[in-house]
Amino acid sequence: MSSIEARLTDLGVTLPTPAAPAANYVPFVRSGSLLFVSGQIPVGPSGIQFVGKLGLDTDVETGRAAAKLCAINLIAQVRAAIGDLDGLVRVVKLTGFVNSAADFGDQPKVVNGASDFLVEVFGDKGRHARSAVGVAGLPFGVAVEIEGIFEVA
C-alpha cells in the first residue's frame, strides 16, 4: 500500500472506482508530466449527492462537503491514471465551479472543502493554485464540480 493510500485509510476514506464519462470526453489526459483530470461531481457510493444551489437551498458547509467529495473523486481518477498515488509530484491547480444563486459570493469558502482535503492528504504536495467560480447551473443539478491539474512522476 502506498503511503498516500495509507494516509487515506487513516482519514477513513476509501477511494471509489472512478465514474465513467457521462458524455464524449475522457476522464483524464496525460501530457508529459502533467495530468489533466476532467471535472468531477459529488458522486458517492449511493450515486449523486449534494444537489442544490449555494445561497438558495444549500449552505456553505454542505457545499464544502460536496467539494471534498469531488476531491476524493479527483484522487480516484489520478490513481486510475498512474496506479500508485506515491507517483503524484504535486497538485498544480484546481478549478472549482459552484452552482450559485445570483447574490452568492462565498465560492472560495465552498471550494476550500476540496483544497483543505488535498492538503490534508498530500501535505505540501497538495498546495495548489486555484480558481473558484460561481455558475448558474451544473450537470444533474449538483452543487459543485471540480477539475484538476496534477504533476506526476
Side-chain angles (χ1 to χ4, degrees):
M1 177 184 294
S2 75
S3 64
I4 298 301
E5 298 260 1
R7 177 73 179 132
L8 288 165
T9 299
D10 290 346
L11 294 171
V13 174
T14 301
L15 291 179
T17 300
N24 188 16
Y25 65 91
V26 294
F28 53 80
V29 170
R30 184 170 180 170
S31 180
S33 64
L34 293 179
L35 180 69
F36 298 80
V37 178
S38 296
Q40 300 297 300
I41 61 174
V43 176
S46 59
I48 293 174
Q49 296 180 233
F50 304 110
V51 173
K53 191 171 286 283
L54 277 289
L56 183 62
D57 56 11
T58 304
D59 63 18
V60 170
E61 284 309 309
T62 302
R64 284 177 54 84
K68 178 181 176 181
L69 184 52
C70 292
I72 290 168
N73 290 323
L74 281 169
I75 295 169
Q77 292 288 1
V78 171
R79 182 178 67 182
I82 67 172
D84 184 352
L85 287 172
D86 285 341
L88 178 87
V89 175
R90 76 168 300 126
V91 180
V92 176
K93 180 159 195 246
L94 296 183
T95 303
F97 303 95
V98 180
N99 191 353
S100 301
D103 61 348
F104 183 77
D106 284 334
Q107 291 85 0
K109 290 180 183 176
V110 171
V111 179
N112 279 346
S115 294
D116 293 347
F117 180 70
L118 291 172
V119 172
E120 187 176 17
V121 171
F122 297 112
D124 283 341
K125 294 191 301 187
R127 298 193 184 283
H128 52 272
R130 186 182 87 178
S131 298
V133 180
V135 297
L138 287 170
F140 311 108
V142 297
V144 180
E145 179 176 349
I146 301 179
E147 65 183 25
I149 302 171
F150 304 85
E151 184 181 357
V152 295

